[in-house]
Amino acid sequence: MVQPAETPKAARSPAGDEDNLPQTAPGYADAPGYFDGGELIAVLTTQPLDRTLDYRAPDGGCHLGAFVEVPLGPRKVLGVVWGRGRGDFDLSKVRAVLRVLDVAPMRAEMQEFLTRAADYTLTPMPAMLRLAARAPGLSDPPSMRKVYRLGDATPDRMTDARTRVLEVLRDYGGLSFTLKELSDQAGVTSSVVKGLVKLGAVAEEDTPRDLPFPRLDPGLPAAQLTEDQSRAAAHLAQGLRAGRYGTTLLRGVTGSGKTEVYLEAVAECLRQNRQALVLLPEIALTEEFLRRIGARFGAQPAEWHSGVTMTERRRIWKMVGQGGCQVVVGARSALFLPFRDLGLIVVDEEHDSSYKQEDGVLYNARDMAVLRASICDAQVVLASATPSLESWANAEAGKYARLDLTARFGPAVMPELRAIDMRAETLPSNRWISPSLQSAVLRRIEAGEQSLLFLNRRGYAPVTICRACGHQIACPDCDARMVEHRFLKRLMCHQCGETAPIPEACPSCEVEGKLAVVGPGVERLTEEAQALFPNARVATLSSDLFGSARALKEQIAAIGQGGADIVIGTQLVAKGHNFPNLTLVGVIDADLGLQGSDLRAAERTFQLMRQVAGRAGRAEKPGTALLQTFQPEHPVIRAILSGDEEGFWRAEAREREAAGVPPYGRMAGIVLSSPDPQEAFDAGLALARGDAPIRAIGAQVYGPAPAPIARVRGRHRVRLLVKAPKGAALQGAVARWVAQIRPGPNLRMSVDIDPQSFY
């Protein structure tokens, strides 16, 4: 099904909300494209300052948008030529730009994107610029360097150190490394690498620091598409040929082939000689996806995320700006790469909460993708089996087009979903796999098929309590319980990352042998599964258990190839993985996400349960998903089992609209924190009393109140929430409101427009 989208404004703000954001970056519209040597220019630096700084253009001049190195006090700092200088102080004190960096100048559309994103999120511009200049060695001059790749020979004698070096080179698919990067990645000394060079097992080459990426060929044969897929791909291609902004919600049931559809959109983008960006929510998804792109276009795209080497990050940043990189597959920060001609942005699994940056610059990559595309006349594809209510509502309102894929690709069919009523099951208090689920898993093992047991809780147990005095072991720096990670032999705080050894005695009463764990995590579930199914191969997928992204990818690949009978996993397993032989999904606690006051609790539970159930039966064998629940009559559980997704979205939309909350209202969250709880609360009270700017737009302030997690990393946290009508100019009002508070050296204030979490 295809629904047309309304014609957008030239520069729509994120998620279709209009907030009178500036249409161009300040100072840009009246600035020339080039400044002669000695002219007064404004430079935006990456330093935490509240304005641009005036400098003299260097000898030989510089372009608007040029990346420059400038003096700031005794230091040399990175900046961008942002426009004309103001000249509102003693011009005899103006210093000159030290040098212009050998990188492509920032384009006008990128300058506008950063400015409008800063205005939308109420973020200082230097922080936005840091996002856009996040590449190492930008100030290094062009030069040659030695890099190391996999050689042709095999050493006569292998050692553990040599094996690790060769494994790293193989795992990264032929990418080059500097000597330090390869040594660090393999955990060996540089002499081991040099020794392998002499033997021919590792090749040492002189190469320019930054080379273009291999060209991708959109003319290579594509996969055979179904009628629905072909219709959807044709719609996306038509939008790309038009060369105008548009956003399309691509909703397809799990296993329906959404990836093949948007890869054809990538192919059309390449035919138009424009660049494409594909955002993925999880680093572990990139391996399989890169292989699919390589098979479709004959070469690998660029890969941008925290697991990529610094050498590659620098190369990608430069090549994207020069046009030497056609397609980038990456995490949310890839949105801030300096694309020369961005024509397509795909946000895969667009509903995923990991697209929201929760520290530093607080932004939602899904919404920022829409903003960036609107500025550079690009197309956006939001792909999901369970779209966010915001995207669903925008499609219903005609702001986004909508494409539906209603059936699985090939012979695969949707899994059967059933509830296991835990009130009717008999099992001990220290067990969580019901007899009904145990029997279903045994049948799969006997048939040579795989089962997935899903529990969205990391670690061994969420609470450790002393049976002598009742003390619960908590983080010393946070108001959060320490979670036991028995496989790592540590207690861990999931708020701040603090770890500690598992104690023998209670830290409070010092009695030994009385500490007991309460509740299950995936590690405890693994122990139970190993006891119930002693002859089965059990694999646990949790981000805590893998030292690197590479190790996690290897485990996922091994499971896909049949390397486990039972998979125990957190929400990591719900994110797009394809295990062909997996025919049973058992959800241990389907009620877990229904608790609490989060306005998105029902939506997130529905999405997560539907996504994890969709891992079953993705090949020829039919699948079944069993949901253990104490509330089988709950509306969300009933909606999951019935498969009436449209009915669920409509009901959820009615509730949100009646409450005036997103996407039918607007919200902002303000968190004040300080080592002194009274200082944070007094600042919150001052804001609450001075709420005139908020009341002026018809909005309300709730709070101050202690945040649900009231202390993190030793800082006491007080929260206020602003709830505003849909069309309210929220950013301007919040900016005027919070400007009344001048945080001291210990008081910090965080402003989150469109908050996704409320901890």
Side-chain angles (χ1 to χ4, degrees):
M1 180 177 69
V2 178
Q3 296 180 2
E6 67 173 13
T7 302
K9 295 185 178 181
R12 182 173 300 280
S13 60
D17 295 324
E18 301 300 335
D19 285 291
N20 301 314
L21 300 182
Q23 297 301 302
T24 56
Y28 179 82
D30 60 346
Y34 191 83
F35 296 94
D36 292 323
E39 278 195 73
L40 199 63
I41 58 174
V43 175
L44 177 67
T45 72
T46 55
Q47 304 307 299
L49 304 171
D50 60 356
R51 57 191 172 87
T52 58
L53 302 176
D54 281 2
Y55 290 91
R56 296 284 184 191
D59 292 341
C62 59
H63 285 90
L64 179 66
F67 285 81
V68 293
E69 190 175 77
V70 296
L72 184 62
R75 296 175 296 153
K76 300 175 182 178
V77 301
L78 178 68
V80 171
V81 177
W82 210 250
R84 294 183 187 276
R86 293 191 307 275
D88 54 356
F89 65 100
D90 186 355
L91 296 182
S92 66
K93 296 182 179 179
V94 177
R95 303 164 78 181
V97 168
L98 296 174
R99 66 187 179 101
V100 178
L101 306 189
D102 185 33
V103 297
M106 180 179 286
R107 298 171 60 83
E109 64 192 33
M110 185 64 170
Q111 196 175 24
E112 181 177 352
F113 172 57
L114 295 179
T115 302
R116 296 188 61 199
D119 286 344
Y120 190 88
T121 60
L122 298 183
T123 299
M125 281 301 299
M128 297 303 304
L129 182 58
R130 286 195 292 274
L131 285 179
R134 190 181 289 175
L138 285 186
S139 59
D140 295 348
S143 62
M144 301 294 286
R145 59 167 182 183
K146 290 192 182 299
V147 295
Y148 298 84
R149 302 179 186 273
L150 192 64
D152 299 324
T154 301
D156 294 333
R157 185 176 63 86
M158 292 297 294
T159 64
D160 287 343
R162 288 177 172 181
T163 299
R164 291 200 298 274
V165 171
L166 298 180
E167 283 180 348
V168 167
L169 291 172
R170 292 190 190 102
D171 289 340
Y172 278 85
L175 291 180
S176 61
F177 289 79
T178 64
L179 182 61
K180 184 178 187 308
E181 285 174 344
L182 183 53
S183 301
D184 290 348
Q185 193 78 316
V188 301
T189 63
S190 59
S191 61
V192 176
V193 178
K194 290 286 190 179
L196 288 170
V197 170
K198 292 178 181 177
L199 296 171
V202 172
E204 181 184 76
E205 303 170 359
D206 285 311
T207 180
R209 285 187 174 273
D210 305 302
L211 290 174
F213 285 79
R215 303 292 291 178
L216 278 66
D217 184 359
L220 292 178
Q224 187 69 37
L225 301 182
T226 66
E227 186 177 340
D228 273 358
Q229 287 176 316
S230 297
R231 187 163 50 246
H235 175 86
L236 296 177
Q238 182 181 3
L240 283 157
R241 286 192 291 269
R244 296 192 302 272
Y245 159 75
T247 295
T248 300
L249 174 61
L250 176 61
R251 181 199 163 274
V253 298
T254 53
S256 60
K258 296 182 291 296
T259 302
E260 296 301 337
V261 171
Y262 68 66
L263 283 185
E264 291 314 297
V266 172
E268 183 59 37
C269 184
L270 296 177
R271 293 187 192 103
Q272 302 296 320
N273 293 317
R274 303 188 73 184
Q275 295 166 301
L277 168 62
V278 180
L279 297 180
L280 300 178
E282 174 57 55
I283 192 173
L285 297 176
T286 56
E287 196 73 23
E288 180 184 353
F289 187 78
L290 292 173
R291 284 197 296 269
R292 293 177 75 169
I293 288 193
R296 173 63 181 87
F297 300 115
Q300 294 278 52
E303 187 179 357
W304 179 274
H305 51 70
S306 59
V308 175
T309 67
M310 292 295 102
T311 302
E312 282 298 298
R313 289 171 75 89
R314 179 180 188 270
R315 176 193 179 199
I316 292 167
W317 195 95
K318 285 197 169 186
M319 288 302 105
V320 160
Q322 296 173 19
C325 176
Q326 296 167 287
V327 177
V328 176
V329 175
R332 58 182 179 238
S333 61
L335 262 178
F336 296 90
L337 288 170
F339 290 95
R340 189 177 73 174
D341 188 8
L342 185 58
L344 173 69
I345 305 175
V346 177
V347 186
D348 200 11
E349 307 291 353
E350 64 87 26
H351 65 279
D352 198 285
S353 60
S354 63
Y355 283 124
K356 179 63 187 282
Q357 173 85 15
E358 295 284 7
D359 55 17
V361 179
L362 307 181
Y363 69 93
N364 191 311
R366 178 196 66 220
D367 297 342
M368 291 298 112
V370 173
L371 174 60
R372 180 149 196 197
S374 71
I375 294 169
C376 62
D377 287 325
Q379 290 285 310
V380 181
V381 177
L382 305 177
S384 177
T386 54
S388 62
L389 187 61
E390 283 82 357
S391 296
W392 181 89
N394 277 331
E396 288 288 294
K399 294 176 181 177
Y400 299 167
R402 174 169 163 175
L403 304 171
D404 282 339
L405 304 177
T406 57
R408 283 190 158 177
F409 183 80
V413 296
M414 292 299 293
E416 177 189 5
L417 279 83
R418 299 201 305 269
I420 296 176
D421 188 346
M422 296 298 286
R423 298 170 300 188
E425 297 284 321
T426 302
L427 71 166
S429 59
N430 63 343
R431 285 259 309 273
W432 290 273
I433 299 173
S434 66
S436 297
L437 181 55
Q438 180 182 355
S439 299
V441 172
L442 282 171
R443 290 194 295 272
R444 285 353 186 252
I445 294 173
E446 292 167 359
E449 297 168 3
Q450 292 175 311
S451 301
L452 166 64
L453 300 181
F454 172 79
L455 177 64
N456 198 24
R457 188 182 277 146
R458 294 179 291 150
Y460 186 84
V463 176
T464 302
I465 191 170
C466 176
R467 289 177 293 186
C469 69
H471 174 74
Q472 296 182 19
I473 298 181
C475 175
D477 298 319
C478 303
D479 283 347
R481 301 291 175 264
M482 295 285 272
V483 177
E484 180 176 329
H485 287 251
R486 189 164 293 184
F487 293 1
L488 301 176
K489 299 181 174 59
R490 305 287 290 178
L491 294 175
M492 183 181 297
C493 174
H494 288 176
Q495 294 303 319
C496 70
E498 176 73 22
T499 67
I502 299 174
E504 296 291 334
C506 172
S508 178
C509 68
E510 300 183 351
V511 174
E512 293 188 6
K514 290 294 185 179
L515 292 176
V517 292
V518 179
V522 287
E523 295 177 12
R524 195 173 191 183
L525 190 63
T526 298
E527 280 191 1
E528 182 178 344
Q530 290 168 337
L532 290 176
F533 313 105
N535 297 319
R537 298 167 299 165
V538 180
T540 308
L541 286 180
S542 176
S543 57
D544 305 295
L545 301 178
F546 296 89
S548 67
R550 178 165 55 91
L552 175 58
K553 291 176 183 178
E554 287 175 354
Q555 178 70 298
I556 290 171
I559 293 170
Q561 294 165 9
D565 302 309
I566 300 172
V567 182
I568 313 284
T570 62
Q571 65 177 349
L572 180 69
V573 301
K575 298 185 179 184
H577 302 299
N578 185 25
F579 304 132
N581 199 39
L582 197 152
T583 58
L584 174 68
V585 168
V587 178
I588 299 302
D589 187 354
D591 307 327
L592 186 60
L594 298 176
Q595 300 144 12
S597 57
D598 188 341
L599 66 90
R600 293 182 176 86
E603 176 186 359
R604 286 175 174 157
T605 300
F606 180 83
Q607 289 166 336
L608 187 56
M609 294 299 102
R610 294 290 293 180
Q611 288 280 345
V612 75
R615 298 311 105 198
R618 293 173 68 93
E620 291 82 2
K621 300 172 184 176
T624 301
L626 302 176
L627 278 62
Q628 294 189 162
T629 174
F630 288 91
Q631 306 175 69
E633 68 286 342
H634 193 287
V636 176
I637 301 296
R638 289 206 307 267
I640 293 166
L641 297 174
S642 71
D644 182 13
E645 297 193 9
E646 291 300 314
F648 172 80
W649 296 128
R650 284 193 292 270
E652 186 71 6
R654 283 194 298 270
E655 288 189 17
R656 300 261 196 102
E657 191 168 17
V661 295
Y664 303 99
R666 306 205 60 206
M667 295 190 79
I670 291 83
V671 173
L672 297 153
S673 68
S674 170
D676 177 5
Q678 193 61 49
E679 181 183 29
F681 202 78
D682 287 348
L685 285 173
L687 275 181
R689 294 189 187 107
D691 67 345
I694 300 300
R695 286 186 283 107
I697 62 167
Q700 295 173 281
V701 175
Y702 297 90
I709 301 176
R711 188 171 57 102
V712 174
R713 297 184 180 91
R715 300 185 65 85
H716 297 269
R717 306 166 73 245
V718 170
R719 187 185 67 177
L720 299 96
L721 284 176
V722 177
K723 178 182 165 188
K726 174 74 171 174
L730 180 62
Q731 280 85 347
V734 170
R736 292 188 294 275
W737 179 48
V738 300
Q740 301 173 91
I741 297 294
R742 297 293 180 189
N746 293 322
L747 182 67
R748 297 177 191 165
M749 179 165 54
S750 170
V751 179
D752 188 0
I753 302 295
D754 305 329
Q756 294 291 306
S757 62
F758 299 89
Y759 74 92

